[in-house]
Amino acid sequence: LNKNELNLQVGDTANLTATAVFDSGSTENATVKTDWNSGTTEVATVYAGVVTAKKEGKAVITATYLGETVIVNVTVTKKVKSLTTDKQALDLRLSGTAQVAITAYFDDGTSADVTNKADYTVASSSIATVTNGLVKGQNPGSTTITVSYMNQSLVLDVKVEVVRRLDAEKSNVSLLLKGTTELELNATYPDGSIDDVA
């Protein structure tokens, strides 16, 4: 079969294709000729390789052709209506981290924390990385993180080591010939912290 596992939402459909491989090495598309069965029809049904998700739960689809049998494990979840995050944007320092929480809202009015189940795609992984919602600043710059779960997604703006303001300790300096002085150059970051970056 083209798949041995399916993750669907209630109401979704998916197409399974059965290919018969003969001893001679030849192959044949046997999808229509295959005998398809669902072990739990209230969760998922199957007809000619088309699986329809009915309600939340698990089902095993069995495909049999000329004495050969293959199974497909089907997991059906509730339909996701929207995703939200507890942070709209992140300002990080180099090597600094921030945890975001992702909540999924379902068609039946319930919600769940899907932070560890969501997929995260960083536009520029050289600037920030993310694992299970934990974002880490890698290099100065700006990027976006796309969070996806089931059929929904959202975008999070990330800035790393972006300086809001730069202030010199002194606006002018008077020196004797060959004299020296130390200068402070303070960078103010979005989180309010200040560093001497001279």
Side-chain angles (χ1 to χ4, degrees), residues 17-63:
T17 305
T19 304
V21 182
F22 299 98
D23 287 343
S24 63
S26 62
T27 60
E28 174 196 356
N29 186 330
T31 306
V32 178
K33 299 176 184 177
T34 296
D35 183 26
W36 300 91
N37 284 293
S38 170
T40 317
T41 52
E42 63 267 25
V43 172
T45 58
V46 61
Y47 177 77
V50 179
V51 180
T52 303
K54 295 293 188 181
K55 78 167 195 176
E56 191 179 8
K58 292 182 181 293
V60 176
I61 302 292
T62 306

Side-chain angles (χ1 to χ4, degrees), residues 93 161 165-169 182-189 193-198:
R93 302 296 297 276
E161 204 86 352
R165 201 173 75 236
L166 206 54
D167 296 305
E169 174 199 17
E182 291 263 335
L183 281 180
E184 275 184 27
L185 192 60
N186 293 316
T188 303
Y189 296 93
S193 59
I194 298 172
D195 264 358
D196 179 2
V197 295

Side-chain angles (χ1 to χ4, degrees), residues 129-149:
T129 56
V130 58
T131 306
N132 290 335
L134 184 66
V135 185
K136 183 175 183 179
Q138 301 288 1
N139 284 291
S142 301
T143 188
T144 58
I145 295 173
T146 302
V147 183
S148 305
Y149 180 70

